[in-house]
Structure formats: C-alpha cells, structure tokens
Amino acid sequence: MKFQRIALPLMIVFLALGLSACGGFFATQNFPGLVLDDDILYISSGSHVHAVDVTNGQEVLLGNAPLRFPKDSDNNIILFAPVALTDGGQMVVPNSHPSKHGLYSIERATGNVRWTFEGSKGTWIAGALVLNNTIYAPGGEGILYALDMNGNERWSVKLSSNGLMAQPVTNGELIFVPTMDGILFAINPANGSQIWQRELNGPIMAPPLLDEDGNLYIGTLSGRMFSLQAASGAVNWEQKLDGTIWSAPALDGETLYIGVMVGKEGRFYALQRATGAIRWQRSEEGSILASPLAFDGKVLFVTELGRVQALSGDGAPLWQADLKGKLVSVPVLAGDLILIVPMQGDDLLVAFDVNGAQRWKFKP
Amino acid sequence: MWDTLIVTPMTNILLLIYSLVGNFGVAIILFTILIKIATHPLMAKQIKSSARMQELMKSDEWTKIQAKYKDDKEKLAQEQMRIYKEQGVNPLGACFPTLIQFPVIIGLYQSINRVMGVSPLQLVDLVRSITDPAWAWMGQIFPAASIGALLPINTQFLWMNLGQPERILADIVPFGGIPTLAIIVGLTTYIQTKLTVMPSANPNDQSAQMTKMMGIYMPLMLFWFSLNFASGLAVYFIISNLAGIAQYAALGKVNWRNLLSFRSQSQPEPKSKSTPAKKSKK
C-alpha cells in the first residue's frame, strides 16, 4: 500500500507534466522571423519583437528602454512570423498565439500600438506583405486579408480551409500565395480576384522566389521543385528532390540553391536555373529547413543542428561554424555581415563576416 | 528513444486510420478505442488486483493485525506480507499494470497533439514522423498515407476545429463563448471516477483520502486542459473516459450507486460480515 500511496500522486504529477510540458502544446518557440530595414534587424522570437542595430549589435533604444513589442511580457502573445514594415513607420506584427488572433500595427517611433485587427479566426503563422498602401495578411483560417493602413478590411478571399503558412510575395502586379493544399494562387492585389492557380501536388510551406525574368521557383513538402511563369502559372520545369522542402530557394546567376530535410538529416542541392537539372548535391548531418543565402558567387546555408556552412558556387566547402541552438531561419546579409538567429540557443543573434569570422553576438 | 518507440509509431497508426476514414475526429475516436482494447488485459488485471486488495483489507484478519500491531510498524509489515502470501495477492499487482499503461497514455496524447500541430516547428516533427525510415513504407503502400495526401490534416470535426480550443456561441456569450467540450470532459472524468472507485475499507485511511482528492482534482485538471488547448485532445479525454467506464462495466466493477452518492465511498456493509478470509490456510 505504501507503494501505491507514493505511486498515485507521482503518476498524477507525471501525467500533468507529460500532458503539458512534454506533450508539445503549441510551442512558444518557433522559427524566428527576420526582417532587415536599413541597419535595423527586426527579430520575432518567442514573446517579443526585438530591434537590433546591426552596425554595433546593440538593441535599438527608445529613450532609455529598448524598442520591443510588446513592451512588457504578455502570455497571450507568441511571435515568430516576420514583421511587415510600412512606409508610414508602422510595423505589422501577427500574434501566433493559438487562441488570440490579433494583428497589431506598432508605431516604430514610439513602440505604441496604433491599431489591432482581430478579424481572423485562425492562428497567424506567416508574415504580411505591404504593397501600395495595402497590407496583405495571410490568415490562419485560410483567408487572405487586404487591409488599409488603419487596419480596416478592404477585401478578403478564402484560399484554403487550412492556415496559410507562407508570406505572400509580389512582382508588383500580382500577389502569389501558396497553400498547404498544394496550390499556388496568383491574386489581383486590387480586389482579391484570382488570376490563376496551379496545383503543385504537395503541401507548400514556403513562399516562391521571383526572378527578374518573371519566373517563380517554389518547392513542396513532397520534395518537388517547380519553376513557373509568374504571368500565367505555366510550368517551366519540375524536379523531384530526395527530401521535404521547407523554404524558398536562393538564386545566384544560373544556379538555384535549395536545402531539404531527409528525416533528421539534410541535403543541399544546386540546380540549373533554366532546366532544374541537378548540378551537384551534398549531404548534411542536420536537416536544412531555412532558405540559403547566395552572395558573391558563394552560397551559405544553416542546419537544424546549429551548423553554418559556406560553399563556393561549385560546392567546395569554404568555411563552417557551429552555434548552440537550432538554425531554422534564413541567414541575412547586411553589408559585409552575415546575421544568424539561433532558436533555443545562448544568443538571439550572431554576426559573422563573409569569411566566417564571428564579429559580435547579441543577447537581450 | 521515447519518440522512436512510442510517439512515432502511434502517430503513424493514427495517420493510417485518418487516411482510411478521412476524418480526424473519427480517427481520434477509433485510435483511442483501439489503444483501450490493446491495453484492456492490463487494465483488467489491475481492476481485479485492486478488487482483491480491497476485499483483503476488509477482512477480519487484516483488521485484527492493524489493531494488534499498530505500535510496531515492522511487525505489522511482516504480518501484512504473510497475509498477502497466504491470499496469493501481490500488493503491487494493481500498480504495475497502471505503470505499464502510463507511457501508452502519454504517447497517445502526444501523438494526437503532434498530428494537430499547426506551427512550422510542430509540422517538422509531424513530417519527420511520416518520413521516418521505419514507417515510410506506409505512404508507398497506401498512397492516401503519403505526405502529399495526408497534409494538411483536415481538423474540422462536427462544429469544432480540432486544432483550436472549442467554444460555442462565441459571438453571443461574453468571455469567448461556452466551452461545451471542456464541460463534458470535466463531467465524464468526474462520472468515471465516481463509477469506478472501489469502496474503501476505511474511508479515513490515506489511500482513500487520496482517491477522494483525485476524484476532485482530475476532473478539474482535465477541464482546464480542455479549456485552453486543442479540442482534439478534449475529444480524446471524453472517449478515453467513456471507454474506461465501459472497461469497468465489462468486468462488472461499475459502482452505479456511487453516481448519486456524494458521501465518502465507504464499504456499505459492517466489516465483521466480510468473508474473504475464508481462503486463509490458517
């Protein structure tokens, strides 16, 4: 009986822990969202948006206090979608809390909330797009909202019965929105009407990449990489890769770079831009979830195990670094710095120069 | 290890059911019932073992040694062990099956939670489970169980989005609506506790008090979980509670009178009339 007396309360405690902590309730930590505006990097991570001056690795200050949203911690706010910046000094921040669905507009000069849009019934996962004084916000219930700069709804269009996971992109004439149903939509930004749609046979987590010739490059979780014509949606080519594609590719000259997840491992591909043929590939210990960064004939990618790997255009290793935490967000090039945001690491932001030397790191 | 042995297999079985029935709510219900059936032999053993223990504790011999050796704990323990041996009762018999079921319950819960993940990080775990080399064959044999066909999971079931906390009349009722499912979870947990708790030989002893506390805290705890987290979990809690009652009923161990009794669950008959000591070899 003594055993039972000890075991019963222990089981309740373990059950509570197992159901809550280990059970994986909606994670407060997630792929941090990054947006660079001049010398300021806005990082959405955990419960705050931080603004970091990349010239010195210090948090931007408003008076004596750092520019953060929210100013104080709030359990009802989870942030990981990248913010959208408007010309009028607003910062549009989606709250990714599972049951609080606010889309906030923050005055960047003061840190104050200007307005909140609460029209969505789903969890915001992806960041918004700003084009011609309109905010295009992909909702967690599959609706794309077009809002004016005061948060009033101009129009909305239902694109999916599931949440929209990718930030819309634009060529200035159309808005491109992928869905988890495996469909890429081209939408008229003026009224939300559909110009074309293309079934890509696999859930899509990442936005397409646009090139200067009017082509779109997009991958699916089924491991298919597509090149499409932005004007019509016609498929230029399709390439099946070994793994699942979680991010947008990067383009450098005639080479398209993309990393994939293969179970707990990863693979990095260089494809011919014109045909999709594989130029070279290499395996990685950690899965590759973030978009690569292509610059100056080189390419850099990060892995979930914390590795930063730089390669030449031919795939030869140039340098590598290992950081604490998971690297799941796209590296950002700011001048001669490469900015990396680890998730669950010791630091929120680490800066390298283009030769792999660590320049500074930031911890709030 | 935990993930490989428990959560990934359960997640894939749940997804296989989903791919066959095409409705995630129905898949959760079938999966919960399947797990309950698979663990029923353990549960039956635990119920029987608990019943025998309760009977033993009501016996004259047990009462006598409690009184006789109340100041000599060591001797009391020895005598208790002797009675256990004579009666063929394993004092841990009720606990081991529960402990073995425990990882299954947690794993079931985690797999449901994983499948309902909506954030990118949760989806990474889900896709990793589907593409796990030990389970990737499923998508090759059943095209409906491949990533392209499975995702996105349709979490709409009846009036609920299983990935969101459930409320009805959210536009009319203040404070975000009525949490119907959470209320049903609280009620079914309470009812299950009332129906399945066996009468204690001594309502004042520690284990009886603890059982009583569990009867209060468990419904409240599960109500709170259901209030705040995905309604798919609430569906699981409800089906699990109902299946638990059915398991006890199948073994004839449901105490229907307790349902309307709000007093302590003590034994209805005087202790002196209990007779399990007949089996004693003494």
Side-chain angles (χ1 to χ4, degrees):
Chain A
M1 286 309 292
K2 243 182 186 174
F3 180 80
Q4 272 184 311
R5 282 173 199 166
I6 297 165
L8 277 170
L10 271 179
M11 277 193 288
I12 291 184
V13 170
F14 281 130
L15 184 66
L17 285 174
L19 295 186
S20 55
C22 317
F25 286 136
F26 197 88
T28 51
Q29 286 281 334
N30 229 300
F31 293 29
L34 314 179
V35 172
L36 182 69
D37 182 50
D38 292 331
D39 288 333
I40 299 175
L41 183 73
Y42 294 89
I43 307 169
S44 309
S45 179
S47 54
H48 285 96
V49 175
H50 300 269
V52 180
D53 185 336
V54 299
T55 60
N56 57 18
Q58 302 293 316
E59 207 162 7
V60 175
L61 296 177
L62 280 177
N64 293 325
L67 168 58
R68 282 184 192 175
F69 174 76
K71 287 176 180 170
D72 302 309
S73 286
D74 184 342
N75 288 335
N76 290 321
I77 292 180
I78 296 175
L79 303 168
F80 54 80
V83 302
L85 305 174
T86 72
D87 292 338
Q90 294 184 58
M91 175 169 74
V92 181
V93 183
N95 183 4
S96 298
H97 190 282
S99 56
K100 315 285 180 196
H101 306 139
L103 182 75
Y104 308 100
S105 169
I106 313 297
E107 292 276 4
R108 276 187 280 165
T110 62
N112 295 329
V113 177
R114 184 191 276 191
W115 50 259
T116 306
F117 173 73
E118 291 182 321
S120 174
K121 303 285 183 215
T123 302
W124 298 100
I125 299 292
L129 165 76
V130 178
L131 174 70
N132 298 335
N133 283 324
T134 305
I135 297 159
Y136 299 93
E141 78 283 59
I143 295 175
L144 177 69
Y145 295 92
L147 310 175
D148 67 18
M149 289 296 157
N150 294 313
N152 302 309
E153 189 176 316
R154 284 194 167 143
W155 53 258
S156 62
V157 56
K158 177 99 175 164
L159 299 179
S160 171
S161 52
N162 298 282
L164 300 176
M165 309 292 279
Q167 187 170 17
V169 296
T170 182
N171 59 0
E173 294 169 4
L174 296 173
I175 298 172
F176 304 99
V177 189
T179 69
M180 284 291 282
D181 308 302
I183 299 171
L184 177 64
F185 288 94
I187 302 290
N188 181 345
N191 54 22
S193 63
Q194 184 186 307
I195 305 301
W196 56 259
Q197 69 172 63
R198 179 66 53 198
E199 168 70 56
L200 299 179
N201 298 315
I204 308 168
M205 286 290 294
L209 171 75
L210 267 160
D211 73 9
E212 67 279 9
D213 297 331
N215 296 308
L216 295 164
Y217 304 91
I218 189 165
T220 71
L221 289 186
S222 300
R224 289 188 177 86
M225 192 76 211
F226 293 87
S227 167
L228 306 156
Q229 290 172 27
S232 64
V235 175
N236 296 323
W237 53 257
E238 175 186 349
Q239 176 65 262
K240 176 78 178 84
L241 304 179
D242 183 16
T244 53
I245 301 171
W246 292 82
S247 53
L251 194 58
D252 190 25
E254 289 306 306
T255 307
L256 190 72
Y257 298 103
I258 185 70
V260 301
M261 178 177 104
V262 188
K264 288 184 177 169
E265 298 174 356
R267 192 158 295 158
F268 191 71
Y269 288 94
L271 309 177
Q272 281 183 13
R273 175 189 189 172
T275 63
I278 296 171
R279 283 186 58 209
W280 52 262
Q281 58 179 296
R282 56 177 276 150
S283 296
E284 290 297 322
E285 274 182 40
S287 48
I288 304 171
L289 300 169
S291 293
L293 171 67
F295 61 101
D296 300 339
K298 301 169 195 164
V299 65
L300 179 141
F301 64 87
V302 294
T303 77
E304 201 184 359
L305 292 181
R307 170 151 296 182
V308 184
Q309 179 71 59
L311 304 171
S312 71
D314 295 330
L318 295 175
W319 57 266
Q320 66 185 46
D322 290 299
L323 298 176
K324 242 186 179 179
K326 296 180 176 185
L327 302 184
V328 290
S329 297
V330 56
V332 174
L333 186 67
D336 60 348
L337 290 178
I338 294 165
L339 307 172
I340 309 282
V341 175
M343 187 180 77
Q344 298 162 355
D346 288 343
D347 303 297
L348 183 63
L349 176 62
V350 182
F352 293 91
D353 67 20
V354 290
N355 297 314
Q358 190 175 307
R359 294 276 286 273
W360 50 257
K361 49 192 183 180
F362 165 74
K363 189 177 185 176
Chain B
M1 181 67 99
W2 168 260
D3 203 81
T4 307
L5 294 180
I6 305 284
V7 186
T8 297
M10 282 189 160
T11 302
N12 278 290
I13 293 167
L14 177 60
L15 288 172
L16 183 62
I17 297 170
Y18 169 71
S19 72
L20 295 174
V21 299
N23 182 302
F24 193 54
V26 175
I28 291 177
I29 293 169
L30 291 177
F31 187 49
T32 309
I33 292 170
L34 194 72
I35 294 290
K36 284 283 180 185
I37 290 170
T39 56
H40 184 72
L42 287 170
M43 185 75 174
K45 205 173 171 186
Q46 179 205 337
I47 294 168
K48 283 176 186 166
S49 205
S50 293
R52 287 189 68 185
M53 184 68 90
Q54 290 293 337
E55 287 297 307
L56 181 69
M57 289 168 70
K58 289 179 201 168
S59 70
D60 292 339
E61 193 179 8
W62 187 270
T63 315
K64 276 178 196 163
I65 63 158
Q66 297 292 323
K68 190 173 176 182
Y69 300 112
K70 63 180 178 187
D71 298 324
D72 185 350
K73 297 286 179 196
E74 198 176 327
K75 184 68 182 167
L76 178 63
Q78 281 174 3
E79 285 297 303
Q80 284 175 338
M81 285 310 291
R82 178 183 60 77
I83 295 173
Y84 287 143
K85 233 177 197 176
E86 286 176 1
Q87 296 292 325
V89 172
N90 180 354
L92 306 180
C95 287
F96 277 139
T98 311
L99 287 177
I100 293 168
Q101 286 180 69
F102 197 65
V104 177
I105 295 167
I106 296 282
L108 173 68
Y109 172 86
Q110 288 188 348
S111 59
I112 290 171
N113 215 18
R114 176 170 293 183
V115 174
M116 287 186 308
V118 291
S119 77
L121 202 58
Q122 290 170 314
L123 283 169
V124 167
D125 285 338
L126 176 59
V127 168
R128 207 165 257 154
S129 293
I130 298 170
T131 55
D132 187 289
W135 294 91
W137 56 267
M138 237 170 54
Q140 287 153 10
I141 294 176
F142 306 104
S146 65
I147 287 183
L150 281 173
L151 298 182
I153 304 286
N154 179 4
T155 53
Q156 202 61 39
F157 177 55
L158 301 176
W159 69 95
M160 299 166 268
N161 177 349
L162 295 170
Q164 299 277 327
E166 179 267 357
R167 302 284 189 277
I168 58 165
L169 305 175
D171 298 331
I172 304 167
V173 179
F175 307 112
I178 303 168
T180 350
L181 226 54
I183 292 168
I184 296 172
V185 167
L187 281 175
T188 53
T189 311
Y190 177 76
I191 290 168
Q192 187 199 18
T193 313
K194 292 287 277 184
L195 289 179
T196 58
V197 167
M198 293 183 192
S200 170
N202 178 7
N204 295 319
D205 77 16
Q206 211 174 330
S207 69
Q209 289 296 323
M210 201 151 44
T211 307
K212 197 179 164 188
M213 296 304 274
M214 271 181 69
I216 297 166
Y217 288 134
M218 279 302 277
L220 288 176
M221 188 176 83
L222 295 188
F223 170 79
W224 186 82
F225 279 157
S226 307
L227 197 65
N228 291 292
F229 300 112
S231 54
L233 300 172
V235 171
Y236 155 66
F237 288 141
I238 292 168
I239 300 303
S240 186
N241 288 339
L242 296 178
I245 294 169
Q247 280 179 308
Y248 272 77
L251 295 166
K253 299 291 182 188
V254 167
N255 198 346
W256 295 105
R257 276 184 301 179
N258 264 353
L259 194 56
L260 297 173
S261 162
F262 296 98
R263 290 161 60 193
S264 182
Q265 285 124 11
S266 59
Q267 64 175 103
E269 301 294 325
K271 281 183 217 168
S272 57
K273 288 187 182 176
S274 60
T275 53
K278 271 182 198 169
K279 289 177 191 168
S280 171
K281 290 172 190 169
K282 213 174 172 182

XYZ file of all heavy atoms in Angstrom, chain A residues 171-212:
322
model
N 5.203 40.639 -57.525
C 6.056 41.212 -58.572
C 5.596 42.630 -58.893
O 5.988 43.204 -59.889
C 6.036 40.337 -59.832
C 4.630 40.178 -60.399
O 3.661 40.713 -59.857
N 4.515 39.433 -61.493
N 4.729 43.157 -58.047
C 4.190 44.492 -58.228
C 2.847 44.487 -58.931
O 2.065 45.419 -58.785
N 2.566 43.424 -59.662
C 1.293 43.345 -60.390
C 0.375 42.287 -59.794
O -0.840 42.437 -59.778
C 1.560 43.005 -61.857
C 2.298 44.110 -62.587
C 2.793 43.668 -63.951
O 2.496 42.517 -64.360
O 3.494 44.459 -64.599
N 0.973 41.200 -59.332
C 0.189 40.106 -58.757
C 0.747 39.761 -57.374
O 1.920 40.028 -57.085
C 0.277 38.856 -59.646
C -0.306 38.951 -61.059
C 0.020 37.681 -61.835
C -1.821 39.147 -60.995
N -0.122 39.138 -56.580
C 0.345 38.611 -55.292
C 0.321 37.093 -55.401
O -0.670 36.520 -55.869
C -0.585 39.051 -54.149
C -0.581 40.560 -54.022
C -0.161 38.440 -52.831
C -1.627 41.038 -53.059
N 1.383 36.450 -54.969
C 1.466 34.993 -55.062
C 1.353 34.400 -53.666
O 2.143 34.739 -52.772
C 2.774 34.579 -55.734
C 2.937 35.203 -57.093
C 3.728 36.336 -57.273
C 2.249 34.696 -58.188
C 3.851 36.937 -58.512
C 2.369 35.291 -59.441
C 3.164 36.415 -59.609
N 0.360 33.531 -53.495
C 0.093 32.950 -52.175
C 0.006 31.432 -52.301
O -0.899 30.917 -52.957
C -1.240 33.478 -51.585
C -1.396 33.040 -50.133
C -1.331 34.978 -51.700
N 0.938 30.695 -51.681
C 0.838 29.234 -51.699
C -0.003 28.737 -50.520
O -0.145 29.437 -49.513
C 2.295 28.800 -51.529
C 2.984 29.936 -50.858
C 2.174 31.170 -51.038
N -0.548 27.534 -50.652
C -1.351 26.969 -49.558
C -0.840 25.570 -49.208
O -0.132 24.934 -49.992
C -2.835 26.840 -49.963
O -2.940 25.817 -50.976
C -3.386 28.145 -50.487
N -1.261 25.111 -48.036
C -0.919 23.756 -47.618
C -1.649 22.704 -48.453
O -1.330 21.524 -48.397
C -1.240 23.567 -46.131
C -0.246 24.222 -45.200
S 1.363 23.393 -45.255
C 1.040 21.957 -44.236
N -2.671 23.132 -49.177
C -3.375 22.204 -50.072
C -2.566 21.931 -51.334
O -3.009 21.175 -52.197
C -4.730 22.803 -50.485
C -5.527 23.251 -49.283
O -5.793 22.415 -48.426
O -5.860 24.444 -49.202
N -1.440 22.593 -51.465
C -0.584 22.351 -52.621
C -0.923 23.208 -53.821
O -0.600 22.853 -54.954
N -1.593 24.334 -53.585
C -1.978 25.208 -54.702
C -1.270 26.552 -54.562
O -1.211 27.117 -53.465
C -3.511 25.423 -54.728
C -4.225 24.082 -54.914
C -3.911 26.390 -55.848
C -5.713 24.138 -54.747
N -0.734 27.037 -55.669
C -0.155 28.386 -55.707
C -1.161 29.293 -56.418
O -1.565 29.010 -57.549
C 1.179 28.375 -56.455
C 1.849 29.736 -56.625
C 2.229 30.337 -55.276
C 3.097 29.617 -57.503
N -1.583 30.348 -55.710
C -2.557 31.294 -56.261
C -1.854 32.567 -56.715
O -0.937 33.043 -56.039
C -3.594 31.682 -55.201
C -4.571 30.586 -54.865
C -4.337 29.732 -53.794
C -5.734 30.420 -55.607
C -5.236 28.730 -53.473
C -6.635 29.415 -55.287
C -6.384 28.563 -54.221
N -2.316 33.117 -57.818
C -1.916 34.464 -58.232
C -3.160 35.340 -58.085
O -4.207 35.046 -58.675
C -1.431 34.459 -59.670
N -3.043 36.370 -57.246
C -4.208 37.172 -56.862
C -4.020 38.611 -57.342
O -2.919 39.165 -57.261
C -4.354 37.175 -55.313
C -4.491 35.739 -54.773
C -5.500 38.052 -54.835
C -5.780 35.056 -55.096
N -5.112 39.191 -57.793
C -5.101 40.614 -58.164
C -5.099 41.444 -56.875
O -6.049 41.357 -56.085
C -6.355 40.907 -58.993
C -6.408 42.348 -59.447
O -5.680 43.202 -58.935
N -7.264 42.620 -60.415
N -4.061 42.248 -56.647
C -3.999 42.977 -55.372
C -5.098 44.027 -55.220
O -5.399 44.454 -54.109
C -2.613 43.642 -55.404
C -2.165 43.607 -56.813
C -2.878 42.491 -57.483
N -5.715 44.425 -56.317
C -6.721 45.480 -56.230
C -8.023 45.002 -55.611
O -8.670 45.719 -54.847
C -6.988 46.049 -57.626
N -8.403 43.757 -55.931
C -9.733 43.319 -55.482
C -9.768 41.873 -54.968
O -10.824 41.379 -54.595
C -10.751 43.471 -56.626
C -10.278 42.761 -57.886
O -9.440 41.849 -57.830
N -10.792 43.180 -59.030
N -8.651 41.190 -54.993
C -8.622 39.821 -54.458
C -9.069 38.770 -55.450
O -9.174 37.589 -55.098
N -9.344 39.182 -56.689
C -9.789 38.173 -57.659
C -8.604 37.284 -58.059
O -7.447 37.715 -58.048
C -10.386 38.852 -58.897
O -9.395 39.622 -59.536
N -8.968 36.071 -58.406
C -7.922 35.096 -58.726
C -7.552 35.190 -60.203
O -8.412 35.114 -61.066
C -8.478 33.712 -58.392
C -7.497 32.591 -58.577
C -8.181 31.249 -58.359
O -8.824 31.032 -57.336
N -8.060 30.364 -59.321
N -6.265 35.365 -60.481
C -5.820 35.469 -61.874
C -5.507 34.075 -62.414
O -5.899 33.718 -63.513
C -4.578 36.385 -61.995
C -4.889 37.755 -61.373
C -4.136 36.529 -63.445
C -6.059 38.495 -61.997
N -4.786 33.307 -61.643
C -4.574 31.905 -61.999
C -4.261 31.104 -60.736
O -3.945 31.688 -59.691
C -3.492 31.700 -63.057
C -2.123 32.272 -62.766
C -1.605 33.429 -63.267
C -1.086 31.703 -61.937
N -0.332 33.630 -62.805
C 0.017 32.582 -61.994
C -0.977 30.560 -61.172
C 1.204 32.344 -61.298
C 0.203 30.309 -60.480
C 1.280 31.201 -60.547
N -4.359 29.788 -60.843
C -3.927 28.907 -59.756
C -3.262 27.682 -60.350
O -3.594 27.263 -61.449
C -5.094 28.514 -58.849
C -6.125 27.599 -59.485
C -7.131 27.103 -58.471
O -7.864 27.880 -57.887
N -7.169 25.801 -58.266
N -2.292 27.133 -59.633
C -1.572 25.969 -60.133
C -1.471 24.920 -59.027
O -1.028 25.203 -57.920
C -0.165 26.381 -60.587
C 0.708 25.259 -61.120
C 0.194 24.663 -62.403
N -0.054 25.646 -63.431
C -0.818 25.435 -64.508
N -1.399 24.283 -64.692
N -1.002 26.389 -65.404
N -1.942 23.704 -59.334
C -1.851 22.587 -58.394
C -0.439 22.014 -58.466
O 0.019 21.640 -59.553
C -2.901 21.527 -58.791
C -2.760 20.192 -58.118
C -3.100 20.212 -56.648
O -4.209 20.632 -56.305
O -2.233 19.810 -55.842
N 0.236 21.963 -57.309
C 1.634 21.517 -57.308
C 1.831 20.173 -56.582
O 2.965 19.775 -56.308
C 2.536 22.592 -56.694
C 2.528 23.945 -57.437
C 3.437 24.952 -56.750
C 2.940 23.784 -58.890
N 0.739 19.520 -56.236
C 0.789 18.137 -55.721
C 1.646 17.963 -54.472
O 2.431 17.021 -54.397
C 1.286 17.185 -56.816
C 0.356 17.162 -58.006
O -0.859 17.095 -57.843
N 0.916 17.289 -59.197
N 1.502 18.841 -53.534
C 2.208 18.674 -52.260
C 2.041 19.926 -51.420
O 2.009 21.033 -51.975
N 1.938 19.767 -50.089
C 1.748 20.938 -49.222
C 2.907 21.927 -49.383
O 4.060 21.518 -49.527
C 1.749 20.339 -47.815
C 1.541 18.878 -47.997
C 2.055 18.514 -49.337
N 2.583 23.210 -49.342
C 3.623 24.243 -49.540
C 3.763 25.068 -48.261
O 2.792 25.645 -47.773
C 3.274 25.164 -50.727
C 2.974 24.316 -51.971
C 4.423 26.128 -51.007
C 2.354 25.102 -53.108
N 4.983 25.096 -47.735
C 5.263 25.826 -46.500
C 5.930 27.167 -46.764
O 5.948 28.026 -45.892
C 6.210 25.001 -45.618
C 5.584 23.818 -44.934
S 4.445 24.312 -43.653
C 5.536 25.095 -42.473
N 6.551 27.302 -47.925
C 7.408 28.468 -48.146
C 6.921 29.296 -49.327
O 6.280 28.774 -50.246
C 8.835 28.003 -48.421
N 7.215 30.591 -49.323
C 6.829 31.431 -50.462
C 7.686 31.120 -51.681
O 8.774 30.546 -51.555
C 7.117 32.849 -49.960
C 8.167 32.684 -48.922
C 7.940 31.345 -48.289
N 7.220 31.511 -52.861
C 8.065 31.323 -54.048
C 9.152 32.387 -54.108
O 9.045 33.430 -53.460
C 7.080 31.487 -55.203
C 5.960 32.297 -54.669
C 5.914 32.083 -53.194
N 10.181 32.101 -54.899
C 11.223 33.098 -55.192
C 10.950 33.624 -56.600
O 10.650 32.850 -57.508
C 12.592 32.419 -55.138
C 13.775 33.249 -55.635
C 14.143 34.298 -54.596
C 14.980 32.359 -55.930
N 11.035 34.934 -56.753
C 10.793 35.559 -58.058
C 12.122 35.959 -58.680
O 13.004 36.463 -57.974
C 9.999 36.838 -57.847
C 8.482 36.751 -57.928
C 7.876 37.940 -57.221
C 8.014 36.716 -59.378
N 12.284 35.751 -59.975
C 13.498 36.285 -60.610
C 13.147 37.460 -61.522
O 11.967 37.773 -61.727
C 14.288 35.178 -61.339
C 13.615 34.715 -62.622
O 12.634 35.353 -63.056
O 14.063 33.702 -63.193
N 14.171 38.092 -62.067
C 13.950 39.316 -62.842
C 13.338 39.021 -64.211
O 12.863 39.923 -64.899
C 15.272 40.103 -62.981
C 16.345 39.442 -63.813
C 17.149 38.377 -63.070
O 16.783 38.005 -61.930
O 18.149 37.915 -63.635
